[in-house]
């Protein structure tokens, strides 16, 4: 999957891209999205074993429960009340509110549908060190960054709806052992991600309006793409190559 060819590698030192060009550059980063990682390619082809699916679900759970903390850190840095009001919805989407279970609980149900217990997920015993390190790096970046940069880092959501739709289409066919009700998380995120992208993209296009800022925005988006890719690297090592952390310690 590609999202369009980039207009150029970097903006001119003297001239910023137009909003249209800048948006095209951001969307072109979809070529680096983790949907292209071998682990996801195997998932899309229906080649993952139950153990590999469960490993992915358990490790991504750490990402899910960390996102509200990341969003709260961004809000703490943001002096703009209107932005905070809109961004708050992201926390509610994950944590739940007023009878809405939220994305974290929906992910727990996904885990249960795959054969993982609620206790196993919340214990985080299956979280690989590489995954934990990558996710924590994301939170630490947003906590220390200027808040517009934190918004920019969220723009990997530009590429998320397609991957959710792919799972909704492929998983019932390729992984029939997974209870269909467990896919509710993906159904909800198709619409939620589109709404979040609209806001995050508007903020990014308005703020990053100089050559220096636009180049910085691409660096930030690349960082987030690196984080997502690195998470799958750790899972591929552990569950595909059967080389989890310290797998050879008995032979040291």
């Amino acid at each position: 999957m590609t999202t369009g060819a980039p207009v150029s590698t970097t903006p001119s030192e003297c001239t910023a891209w137009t909003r249209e060009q800048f948006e095209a550059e951001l969307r072109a980063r979809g070529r680096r999205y983790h949907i292209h990682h071998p682990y996801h390619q195997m998932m899309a082809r229906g080649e993952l074993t139950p153990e590999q699916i469960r490993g992915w679900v358990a490790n991504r759970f750490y990402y899910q429960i960390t996102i509200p903390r990341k969003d709260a850190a961004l809000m703490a840095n943001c002096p703009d009340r209107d932005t905070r009001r809109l961004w708050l919805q992201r926390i509610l989407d994950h944590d739940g509110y007023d009878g809405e279970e939220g994305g974290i609980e929906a992910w727990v149900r996904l885990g249960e549908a795959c054969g993982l217990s609620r206790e196993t997920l919340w214990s985080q015993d299956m979280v690989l060190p590489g995954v934990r390190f990558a996710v924590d790096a994301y939170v630490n970046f947003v906590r220390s960054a200027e808040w517009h940069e934190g918004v920019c880092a969220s723009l990997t959501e530009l590429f998320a709806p397609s991957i959710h739709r792919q799972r909704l289409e492929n998983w019932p066919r390729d992984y029939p052992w997974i209870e269909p009700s467990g896919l509710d998380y993906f159904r909800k995120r198709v619409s939620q991600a589109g709404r979040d992208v609209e806001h995050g993209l508007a903020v990014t296009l308005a703020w990053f309006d100089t050559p220096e800022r636009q180049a910085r925005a691409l660096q930030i988006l690349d960082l987030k793409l690196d984080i997502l890719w690195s998470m799958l690297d750790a899972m591929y090592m552990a569950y595909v190559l059967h080389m989890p952390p310290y797998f050879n310690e008995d032979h040291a």
Side-chain angles (χ1 to χ4, degrees):
M1 180 193 72
T2 59
T3 55
V7 178
S8 61
T9 304
T10 57
S12 164
E13 293 182 1
C14 301
T15 306
W17 287 313
T18 66
R19 288 173 68 98
E20 292 76 17
Q21 290 173 326
F22 183 32
E23 181 175 345
E25 290 287 341
L26 293 168
R27 292 186 180 277
R29 279 327 204 248
R31 67 187 182 275
R32 300 181 179 180
Y33 194 46
H34 62 173
I35 195 172
H36 303 296
H37 192 283
Y39 205 97
H40 258 305
Q41 294 290 296
M42 292 176 64
M43 184 186 296
R45 293 192 298 264
E47 297 173 356
L48 294 187
T49 66
E51 178 192 13
Q52 290 165 345
I53 288 285
R54 293 179 189 123
W56 178 78
V57 170
N59 278 275
R60 283 286 299 193
F61 183 65
Y62 185 66
Y63 182 82
Q64 302 303 323
I65 62 176
T66 305
I67 290 301
R69 293 172 48 215
K70 179 270 298 184
D71 289 327
L74 188 150
M75 290 176 62
N77 290 338
C78 178
D80 182 69
R81 181 173 60 174
D82 290 337
T83 297
R84 293 198 304 270
R85 285 171 170 168
L86 289 171
W87 210 265
L88 177 62
Q89 186 62 49
R90 297 174 183 242
I91 296 178
L92 298 176
D93 285 343
H94 278 78
D95 284 343
Y97 65 99
D98 295 339
E100 292 290 330
E101 65 175 8
I104 290 175
E105 180 60 26
W107 197 272
V108 170
R109 291 198 294 107
L110 171 63
E112 291 176 328
C114 294
L116 293 167
S117 71
R118 180 178 296 264
E119 292 73 24
T120 296
L121 287 171
W122 279 109
S123 74
Q124 302 176 30
D125 288 344
M126 293 180 64
V127 178
L128 299 165
V131 170
R132 189 181 299 274
F133 188 85
V135 174
D136 289 352
Y138 182 32
V139 177
N140 290 334
F141 170 78
V142 174
R143 182 180 291 122
S144 61
E146 197 277 336
W147 71 271
H148 293 95
E149 295 191 345
V151 171
C152 181
S154 75
L155 286 183
T156 49
E157 291 173 326
L158 284 165
F159 322 118
S162 63
I163 202 171
H164 296 320
R165 285 190 286 266
Q166 182 188 79
R167 292 167 188 153
L168 289 169
E169 178 181 352
N170 295 355
W171 279 33
R173 178 193 68 217
D174 297 332
Y175 307 108
W177 52 273
I178 299 176
E179 175 61 40
S181 63
L183 305 183
D184 285 346
Y185 175 88
F186 305 133
R187 295 187 183 95
K188 290 182 179 179
R189 284 306 298 168
V190 169
S191 59
Q192 290 174 349
R195 178 208 63 208
D196 292 345
V197 163
E198 183 178 350
H199 176 223
L201 184 60
V203 171
T204 299
L205 293 176
W207 175 257
F208 294 88
D209 58 354
T210 67
E212 295 79 13
R213 286 183 177 180
Q214 290 175 346
R216 174 62 174 161
L218 294 182
Q219 291 174 348
I220 293 167
L221 189 52
D222 284 346
L223 170 66
K224 177 63 179 306
L225 290 164
D226 288 347
I227 286 168
L228 296 174
W229 194 276
S230 295
M231 291 170 62
L232 288 177
D233 282 347
M235 290 182 239
Y236 194 90
M237 285 284 292
Y239 304 122
V240 178
L241 300 182
H242 306 293
M243 298 169 65
Y246 318 116
F247 72 96
N248 58 347
E249 64 181 348
D250 291 338
H251 306 288

